Amino acid sequence: MSLIRFQISHCLKLRRHSLVPGVLSLKMSFSSWVTKAKDGMEEVVEKATKQANEVDLLGAIPESIMDAKMKSALRDISKIGAEMDRKLSATGKLSHNFLLNIAILRLYTKTKSMTETKDDCYEDCSLDDELFAQSMHYLRYSDLSYSQLPRIAERDVIIHELNDKGKASNIHMPRYIVFFDHLTRSIVVAIRGTASMSDIITDMAIQSEPFVHNGVSMVAHSGIAQAAQTLLGSVQTAIIDARRRKGGKYSQYGVVVTGHSLGAGTACLLGLRLSEQTGIGTDPMDVTVFAFAPPPVLSEPSYRSANCTIHAFVNNADLVPRCCKREIMKMLLTVGLIDKMVWSSGKRTHLVATTTLLSDEDMKLMDGVCSETNYNDVERAVVENEVQLYIPGTSYVITPTTYTPSPLNPDPESTPSTLTSGNAAEVNVVSKFRRVVKPTGLYSGFLFTGDTMLSDHKADNYITAFVATAK
């Protein structure tokens, strides 16, 4: 401010000559002072923000509101997010709106899915009557696990851990129930999918961690691997005790682990862990897993074990079985490539607002842009440093094939892309099973695989899809 007072005084002394130079000088000095003050304020704000970030805000939350386990999990997730942000920030800032770029990518993948069938990745198949009946049977148990009061006779329940109330945080501990299924002469472990904040945190622990099974070294989805390990002790003990009841009456009962979504991913890894344990005596425990909508959990493609048979099912365009950290990073990097295209924001907005499928010319341009060969060294390193995870066992994709006229779908020429599988029963959808023969076929759509990628994930839509294969 003393500098400004000096300039005012200087202007007054110059009034006998001209006020203009003095006023200009005053204006320039004031502007310089404002700039310095602004720079100083930004520095103060940046420093304060940095200090705030260094403060453990979670530590200030009382244990009665958030326990130590949940705080630790949230800190881990924060580190994952910071790591991803750091890697992506090295690739440059976006020039266009992120969601607009996502919409362009969605248009591209939708158009691509209409022209590329990836037939070499799948083979049409039919489940034999026994496997189909078993799959439907355990799918309904997976769906029932979302209810805290499933329709299971109380005398058949071995462990009931479906209730969230009155529990400490269930981080890496999805809710589950263990019970006798006398119809199939089995002990069933049904694991619930995502239905609470604790489950969401388990889902978000997407970093990889070592996973060794029968001497085979792999890596697995960290949150789900920890969930399987957490359940292992209590479930194994329950199975062994159940087999010894009534003088060993149930000693020959098989072990079935099933679940949907998070529950399916946990079922896969828990099944593998159980198969390493002994049942009664010294023999390993034979386990069968029925996994519906499982996320990718293991680095070994279609991993199989002698004592653990895994049947995994993917409903049409379901997003979750195609989603792992590497795929997320690939999608975000592809968004960056799309951002660098010559298209203006106006053209992008026009395409999204008025187009359902891209033209051949636009697709040719997008094919060139979205190729991983366009990654620079930094972007390539981001992808290569992430491990691709897969669904273990044998995977089947349920695909809508034909439609017959109905009040909601009078046009028999309608294609699967025009309808949601959620309405399968109403529009008379006929579906088929396709066995996955090349696991990479599930992971090349930048996560966007169809208009029904979210609705296809619902457990009741899996039931509808199964019914549609029997028409």
Side-chain angles (χ1 to χ4, degrees):
M1 292 302 292
S2 59
L3 180 61
I4 297 175
R5 285 196 296 270
F6 170 78
Q7 292 295 343
I8 293 173
S9 174
H10 181 64
C11 289
L12 292 175
K13 289 179 181 179
L14 291 175
R15 65 180 183 272
R16 56 196 173 116
H17 300 291
S18 174
L19 286 175
V20 174
V23 170
L24 290 176
S25 177
L26 172 63
K27 183 177 180 181
M28 292 174 63
S29 298
F30 184 74
S31 175
S32 175
W33 177 82
V34 169
T35 300
K36 290 180 180 179
K38 182 180 178 182
D39 291 342
M41 182 60 69
E42 288 178 349
E43 183 179 347
V44 170
V45 171
E46 183 179 354
K47 185 176 180 180
T49 303
K50 184 178 180 181
Q51 291 175 344
N53 289 335
E54 292 174 352
V55 175
D56 183 10
L57 298 179
L58 289 173
I61 301 176
E63 291 287 327
S64 58
I65 297 176
M66 183 182 295
D67 65 21
K69 190 175 180 181
M70 179 170 283
K71 290 178 184 179
S72 176
L74 288 173
R75 290 189 186 99
D76 290 341
I77 291 172
S78 177
K79 290 177 183 177
I80 297 170
E83 176 205 5
M84 293 176 67
D85 183 63
R86 176 180 57 78
K87 289 180 178 179
L88 291 170
S89 63
T91 65
K93 294 184 178 180
L94 297 180
S95 301
H96 302 279
N97 183 274
F98 175 77
L99 292 179
L100 187 57
N101 288 329
I102 285 283
I104 293 292
L105 176 58
R106 179 68 196 91
L107 264 179
Y108 170 64
T109 56
K110 180 180 178 181
T111 307
K112 201 173 184 68
S113 68
M114 301 291 289
T115 57
E116 295 185 6
T117 58
K118 300 178 186 174
D119 286 334
D120 62 328
C121 297
Y122 309 96
E123 61 181 14
D124 291 353
C125 66
S126 59
L127 304 187
D128 62 58
D129 292 342
E130 183 178 1
L131 179 57
F132 180 84
Q134 289 176 339
S135 301
M136 278 291 292
H137 184 71
Y138 295 115
L139 172 55
R140 294 188 185 279
Y141 281 141
S142 296
D143 188 34
L144 284 174
S145 68
Y146 284 95
S147 170
Q148 294 184 3
L149 296 172
R151 295 187 296 274
I152 298 169
E154 187 175 348
R155 67 179 184 181
D156 292 332
V157 175
I158 303 168
I159 297 180
H160 187 298
E161 287 288 348
L162 292 175
N163 197 333
D164 285 299
K165 295 180 180 179
K167 304 286 183 182
S169 62
N170 299 315
I171 308 298
H172 309 319
M173 190 185 293
R175 303 291 80 202
Y176 68 103
I177 185 170
V178 184
F179 57 93
F180 288 110
D181 183 11
H182 300 296
L183 182 66
T184 60
R185 294 180 58 80
S186 59
I187 298 169
V188 179
V189 183
I191 307 172
R192 191 187 72 185
T194 303
S196 69
M197 180 55 68
S198 295
D199 294 335
I200 292 172
I201 293 173
T202 301
D203 289 326
M204 292 176 65
I206 58 175
Q207 71 273 28
S208 299
E209 67 173 51
F211 187 93
V212 180
H213 181 262
N214 287 343
V216 180
S217 296
M218 299 170 277
V219 298
H221 182 295
S222 180
I224 295 176
Q226 292 180 56
Q229 190 63 40
T230 301
L231 299 186
L232 177 61
S234 57
V235 169
Q236 180 190 2
T237 300
I239 292 171
I240 293 174
D241 290 346
R243 282 177 162 177
R244 288 174 174 161
R245 288 186 185 181
K246 296 185 178 181
K249 179 180 179 180
Y250 309 116
S251 61
Q252 299 304 309
Y253 272 35
V255 176
V256 175
V257 189
T258 189
H260 169 262
S261 192
L262 167 64
T266 307
C268 289
L269 297 188
L270 177 60
L272 290 172
R273 285 284 181 243
L274 284 170
S275 70
E276 296 176 303
Q277 316 303 314
T278 56
I280 295 179
T282 58
D283 294 333
M285 197 179 289
D286 288 327
V287 181
T288 303
V289 175
F290 289 88
F292 306 95
V297 290
L298 273 184
S299 58
E300 187 71 20
S302 303
Y303 178 73
R304 288 172 172 80
S305 168
N307 300 105
C308 182
T309 302
I310 299 176
H311 304 287
F313 297 91
V314 177
N315 182 24
N316 194 28
D318 187 352
L319 172 69
V320 171
R322 298 170 168 92
C323 186
C324 67
K325 187 179 179 183
R326 181 185 173 101
E327 291 300 306
I328 294 172
M329 298 300 283
K330 282 171 61 178
M331 181 201 71
L332 294 175
L333 289 176
T334 304
V335 167
L337 295 177
I338 291 173
D339 187 74
K340 297 172 185 176
M341 291 174 63
V342 296
W343 289 348
S344 66
S345 293
K347 176 176 175 61
R348 294 165 194 251
T349 303
H350 177 76
L351 282 174
V352 172
T354 63
T355 307
T356 56
L357 296 174
L358 292 176
S359 66
D360 291 343
E361 181 181 354
D362 288 338
M363 282 299 293
K364 186 176 181 180
L365 178 61
M366 291 289 292
D367 282 336
V369 168
C370 293
S371 171
E372 291 184 28
T373 58
N374 292 325
Y375 290 165
N376 59 35
D377 291 342
V378 174
E379 294 166 338
R380 191 171 294 107
V382 167
V383 173
E384 290 176 352
N385 288 337
E386 299 296 340
V387 179
Q388 179 69 56
L389 299 183
Y390 301 91
I391 299 169
T394 303
S395 296
Y396 303 89
V397 177
I398 308 174
T399 307
T401 55
T402 59
Y403 300 82
T404 55
S406 75
L408 290 180
N409 181 34
D411 180 9
E413 300 300 321
S414 294
T415 61
S417 64
T418 64
L419 299 165
T420 66
S421 60
N423 292 329
E426 290 82 359
V427 297
N428 298 323
V429 177
V430 177
S431 297
K432 66 180 179 181
F433 289 103
R434 307 187 77 195
R435 184 184 295 108
V436 178
V437 293
K438 289 186 179 179
T440 52
L442 280 175
Y443 310 105
S444 55
F446 307 107
L447 296 186
F448 295 100
T449 53
D451 291 333
T452 59
M453 60 185 177
L454 298 179
S455 62
D456 281 341
H457 183 65
K458 296 171 62 177
D460 56 349
N461 284 346
Y462 268 75
I463 295 174
T464 301
F466 261 83
V467 170
T469 65
K471 293 182 179 179

